[in-house]
Amino acid sequence: MANAVMDPRTETGSPLVKSRPGARVLIYSHDTFGLGHLRRSRALANAIVEAQPGTSVIIISGSPVIGNFEFETGVDYIRIPGVTKLHDGDYRSLNLNVSLDEAVGLRQALILQAAKAFQPDVFIVDKEPTGFRGEVVPALDYLKAAGCRLVLGIRDVMDEPALLVPEWERKGAKTALIRYYDEIWVYGLKDVYQPLKALDLPRDIESRITYTGYLRRDVPPTPSLTKYPKITKQPFILVTTGGGGDGDDLIDWVISAYEADAELDQPALILFGPFIDRDKRRSFVERPARQPKLDVMSFDNKIEWLMKKADAVVAMGGYNTFCEALSFDKRTLIVPRTRPRLEQYIRAVEAERLGLVRMLSDYKEPRTPERMAAALRALSSQPRPSKVVIPGLLDGLDRVRERLTVLTESRPQFAAAYHQAAE
């Protein structure tokens, strides 16, 4: 990693110009739970270095599984101590035997040190303007003073306005958005959903928002080393819950449908995800074993290959899975989580309105095996997403690369800026 330049001037007294070949991008991945933020940050990082050879990207992440993923040349990561979300909504340190406050303090110090050592031209913060419990604020102060361009990247849907507004008020997120960020990238389309509309932002802040479109996904350049079950050699339904930490209801509902309806013809492969509770996983393995049309897998770090092979997809409707279903043009049934947030439900409602997916929810109707069986059976006749023409729908990575080019062309040219920021 590059060392911070400590002497801001040459012997002649002229400003010392940075001598480095390509731009540098630092990404902070807000990943206290699940895989969503990490996988989105990885997609962005890989796309950036593919489009701009010579660029270096570092992802800062607390995800315990970040090492399981492949990154393009030019991308690396810094693993900071993880935190995990408890069932009551609180948090604790994931592995270290320290208090949450101490864990956050350590994370904060490492983020700031990474910013000082790497000297990025652009800093992309995922989802939370101040980071987890404000941990990214010292880095924002330092980088803003140094002339680094600051970007907040958010998914298409955050939460229902009634919860988002007070949450952002409590965290000081709106104030941070106004104070720090040069641009806000919404990884979706304005005509689909406006995640920050309820915040009543000043007009000049609204002008900083770019709706990029959704982030298109491709299969990785090398196939997965995971051995797929025999069930994948025929048309099958892929059932995925993302990270798996909160997908119990979906898995149980699908298994119940096959247990209740012996006439369900199309087989299904259930992908648990790395964060599923071990006891529940054991139960879910035993039940499909008695169903000839079901099989299971634990985790695949190249799920894109499975997604491409599948005939249809059943998912909770997190951001990344939604992007993959659109990218691979899969008939998709969204079964959204409705607790503790309505993010997935809102996305599913809007996507169904546009004809991109169909939704099955237990938000207002009972969760019965018969309802799921009927929905699974209907998948084979469901139109594919490509039947709906929506301009710019999957242009997200292209728009990000365009904006990044603009930002890096105006990057600070003198190491003195970073020296002055450190004083």
Side-chain angles (χ1 to χ4, degrees):
M1 184 176 292
N3 294 320
V5 179
M6 300 308 296
D7 184 0
R9 307 188 73 81
T10 64
E11 292 180 359
T12 62
S14 301
L16 180 63
V17 179
K18 291 181 183 178
S19 57
R20 61 193 199 193
R24 295 183 179 184
V25 179
L26 185 63
I27 299 177
Y28 165 82
S29 178
H30 178 77
D31 49 16
T32 57
F33 185 71
L35 291 174
H37 305 292
L38 169 60
R39 294 184 64 219
R40 182 164 59 247
S41 297
R42 172 177 168 264
L44 290 168
N46 285 343
I48 288 168
V49 297
E50 286 173 1
Q52 297 185 8
T55 298
S56 294
V57 181
I58 290 180
I59 299 173
I60 298 176
S61 170
S63 173
V65 297
I66 189 170
N68 293 353
F69 292 91
E70 291 182 358
F71 298 90
E72 297 289 340
T73 300
V75 181
D76 213 331
Y77 62 87
I78 295 173
R79 165 84 159 86
I80 57 177
V83 295
T84 187
K85 193 173 187 178
L86 304 176
H87 291 297
D88 62 3
D90 206 354
Y91 292 85
R92 66 169 175 80
S93 173
L94 179 61
N95 292 318
L96 295 179
N97 295 315
V98 300
S99 69
L100 180 62
D101 287 343
E102 189 173 353
V104 172
L106 181 56
R107 287 164 57 101
Q108 177 177 288
L110 291 171
I111 294 167
L112 177 59
Q113 183 56 38
K116 290 181 176 180
F118 188 50
Q119 298 185 14
D121 302 298
V122 179
F123 183 32
I124 303 173
V125 174
D126 183 62
K127 183 180 179 283
E128 296 283 352
T130 62
F132 178 65
R133 302 210 170 191
E135 66 185 5
V136 84
V137 170
L140 289 172
D141 283 326
Y142 171 79
L143 291 173
K144 190 171 184 65
C148 175
R149 307 308 296 270
L150 306 178
V151 176
L152 178 69
I154 61 175
R155 62 190 181 224
D156 57 339
V157 182
M158 300 286 282
D159 201 352
E160 58 179 317
L163 293 181
L164 179 66
V165 173
E167 179 184 341
W168 272 46
E169 201 64 41
R170 173 173 52 82
K171 293 178 177 179
K174 180 178 176 180
T175 300
L177 182 68
I178 295 171
R179 176 180 179 183
Y180 292 112
Y181 290 96
D182 300 295
E183 297 197 6
I184 302 105
W185 297 344
V186 178
Y187 306 127
L189 291 178
K190 189 174 185 179
D191 292 341
V192 177
Y193 196 77
Q194 300 178 46
L196 301 179
K197 184 177 182 180
L199 295 174
D200 193 26
L201 295 170
R203 184 170 299 179
D204 67 309
I205 304 302
E206 290 278 0
S207 68
R208 301 178 196 174
I209 299 176
T210 296
Y211 286 85
T212 65
Y214 291 90
L215 306 179
R216 181 185 297 276
R217 306 303 167 88
D218 296 309
V219 293
T222 57
S224 174
L225 297 178
T226 304
K227 185 177 180 180
Y228 295 148
K230 291 181 179 179
I231 208 170
T232 62
K233 296 185 182 299
Q234 58 187 308
F236 70 97
I237 300 170
L238 176 64
V239 181
T240 174
T241 62
D246 55 1
D248 306 345
D249 288 346
L250 171 56
I251 294 174
D252 177 70
W253 202 356
V254 170
I255 296 174
S256 297
Y258 279 87
E259 290 172 335
D261 190 340
E263 295 183 3
L264 272 176
D265 292 329
Q266 192 161 26
L269 174 63
I270 299 173
L271 189 64
F272 289 137
F275 302 123
I276 189 171
D277 179 83
R278 280 183 290 183
D279 292 334
K280 291 179 179 177
R281 181 185 182 279
R282 191 178 301 114
S283 167
F284 288 146
V285 167
E286 293 171 355
R287 290 169 62 193
R290 298 190 289 268
Q291 299 298 322
K293 295 293 185 180
L294 291 178
D295 211 332
V296 299
M297 282 179 58
S298 294
F299 175 53
D300 186 2
N301 64 348
K302 296 182 179 180
I303 190 178
E304 296 90 349
W305 283 101
L306 262 181
M307 188 81 69
K308 186 176 181 179
K309 285 174 67 70
D311 184 60
V313 174
V314 176
M316 294 170 62
Y319 181 83
N320 291 285
T321 306
F322 181 64
C323 289
E324 288 157 354
L326 296 181
S327 299
F328 300 120
D329 199 24
K330 296 301 174 180
R331 299 181 178 95
T332 303
L333 175 67
I334 300 294
V335 186
R337 178 187 64 205
T338 57
R339 297 178 301 275
R341 297 181 182 276
L342 285 177
E343 170 228 334
Q344 294 179 355
Y345 180 79
I346 294 170
R347 178 179 299 113
V349 168
E350 297 302 323
E352 186 175 50
R353 172 181 63 84
L354 294 169
L356 297 170
V357 304
R358 285 182 181 163
M359 181 182 71
L360 181 68
S361 175
D362 62 354
Y363 186 46
K364 297 179 180 179
E365 295 184 61
R367 183 158 55 96
T368 66
E370 292 76 18
R371 288 185 65 214
M372 175 60 76
L376 293 173
R377 191 173 283 108
L379 270 171
S380 60
S381 60
Q382 180 176 319
R384 295 184 182 275
S386 59
K387 296 297 183 181
V388 181
V389 178
I390 301 176
L393 181 66
L394 286 169
D395 288 354
L397 293 177
D398 292 333
R399 298 290 84 75
V400 164
R401 288 185 285 235
E402 288 173 5
R403 292 310 310 157
L404 198 65
T405 297
V406 172
L407 292 178
T408 54
E409 284 178 350
S410 61
R411 58 183 169 153
Q413 296 297 311
F414 303 104
Y418 276 97
H419 177 81
Q420 292 166 357
E423 292 179 341

